[in-house]
Amino acid sequence: MTSMTQRIFVLMLLMAGVVSSFAHTEEDDTFIRDDYDGYYLTRMQVEMTVHKDHTYDVVEQFDAFFTEQRHGLYRSIPRRFWHNRDVSEAQDSSEYRNLYNAVEVRDIDVSEEFDLEYPSEVIDVRIGSLDRYVEGPHSYRVSYTLAVSDDRVAASDVFFHSMLGSEWTGSTDSLFFTIHFDEALPQSSLDAMKVYVGFEGLEATRTEEVIDYCDSLLLRGHASHLQAHNAVT
């Protein structure tokens, strides 16, 4: 992979879906919470550091509200992703290709009892105890490191991460994210940065409504009223 001082495409996909393909604004009073599995998230805070060796350190702190008694919940972490990108040597959009990246998930830690399950393309972090029920508000902290495989494109690298994965079965009232880059990004990467809001696979760009601050070392933003099964990627 190339150095982060070269052009890096930074793609952030916020896909939080059920009824609408868009996140709602804070003033929108039409938002209906979804608690299909007996809970929804009132707040998700993601703090992330992107290293030049293409590992990402992630800390998630989230508050859930259980509308019925449950043992806990699942946090699914993807182990691979596909993306379509410019693979031309000159990076002039003359050649695009669908590429695949494997993701190694390391050092998972949770604020309470947890177990790991390994379905095909994700790691399911099963959080909670079979001996105890939770109901009402409950807070969690999950941390892990992601190591992204080399996509063998010499001219550039891609940063791609799902901060609010499409596997969540409950809606999210508010999401706040902060991403630190341990090496300054070039202007070409900042120019290429986008945020997509909507169902997985849609391209409804809402960059100006989601990113609060961005420079070569820091990206900060938020989104509100996110329906279930949408992702921040």
Side-chain angles (χ1 to χ4, degrees):
M1 284 187 166
T2 59
S3 167
M4 287 178 64
T5 57
Q6 291 180 272
R7 191 167 186 238
I8 304 175
F9 292 97
V10 182
L11 304 177
M12 309 291 300
L13 284 73
L14 275 85
M15 296 171 290
V18 160
V19 178
S20 172
S21 62
F22 299 98
H24 298 276
T25 63
E26 305 226 6
E27 295 76 19
D28 189 350
D29 59 2
T30 65
F31 178 69
I32 299 175
R33 291 190 177 105
D34 183 8
D35 61 346
Y36 177 79
D37 277 338
Y39 75 91
Y40 57 85
L41 301 182
T42 58
R43 178 185 174 93
M44 166 74 85
Q45 176 79 49
V46 180
E47 189 91 14
M48 181 175 178
T49 300
V50 178
H51 301 286
K52 60 185 178 182
D53 64 355
H54 307 287
T55 59
Y56 313 155
D57 294 327
V58 184
V59 178
E60 302 171 348
Q61 299 186 76
F62 49 94
D63 300 327
F65 189 91
F66 289 87
T67 56
E68 56 187 66
Q69 286 192 341
R70 292 280 177 166
H71 292 289
L73 49 74
Y74 282 85
R75 171 65 175 115
S76 297
I77 305 173
R79 294 193 288 166
R80 65 194 69 183
F81 63 86
W82 293 89
H83 52 99
N84 183 264
R85 58 182 297 216
D86 182 1
V87 297
S88 61
E89 184 175 347
Q91 292 291 281
D92 57 3
S93 302
S94 60
E95 181 183 1
Y96 275 82
R97 187 182 306 159
N98 287 320
L99 298 178
Y100 160 84
N101 286 79
V103 180
E104 180 186 356
V105 185
R106 306 171 180 168
D107 304 326
I108 298 174
D109 189 42
V110 183
S111 56
E112 56 186 77
E113 184 177 339
F114 72 98
D115 198 5
L116 301 179
E117 300 176 359
Y118 296 87
S120 60
E121 295 192 356
V122 300
I123 292 179
D124 279 338
V125 185
R126 189 179 66 198
I127 307 173
S129 171
L130 293 176
D131 300 322
R132 181 171 62 90
Y133 285 101
V134 292
E135 189 172 11
H138 199 79
S139 296
Y140 299 92
R141 182 184 187 276
V142 178
S143 62
Y144 51 91
T145 296
L146 303 177
V148 181
S149 65
D150 190 346
D151 57 18
R152 303 182 185 277
V153 178
S156 65
D157 289 321
V158 63
F159 166 52
F160 188 100
H161 177 65
S162 183
M163 290 186 291
L164 187 67
S166 60
E167 297 83 7
W168 284 104
T169 59
S171 57
T172 301
D173 288 0
S174 59
L175 164 74
F176 299 89
F177 59 88
T178 302
I179 302 176
H180 305 271
F181 301 97
D182 71 354
E183 184 174 307
L185 298 179
Q187 186 59 47
S188 57
S189 292
L190 301 179
D191 293 341
M193 191 177 303
K194 290 181 174 63
V195 177
Y196 297 105
V197 180
F199 288 108
E200 185 173 6
L202 296 184
E203 295 188 359
T205 306
R206 296 280 297 277
T207 303
E208 72 286 350
E209 297 182 28
V210 176
I211 294 180
D212 297 325
Y213 178 82
C214 181
D215 65 21
S216 62
L217 291 170
L218 179 67
L219 173 65
R220 182 182 294 122
H222 78 285
S224 300
H225 294 172
L226 301 167
Q227 297 285 1
H229 297 297
N230 283 268
V232 178
T233 306

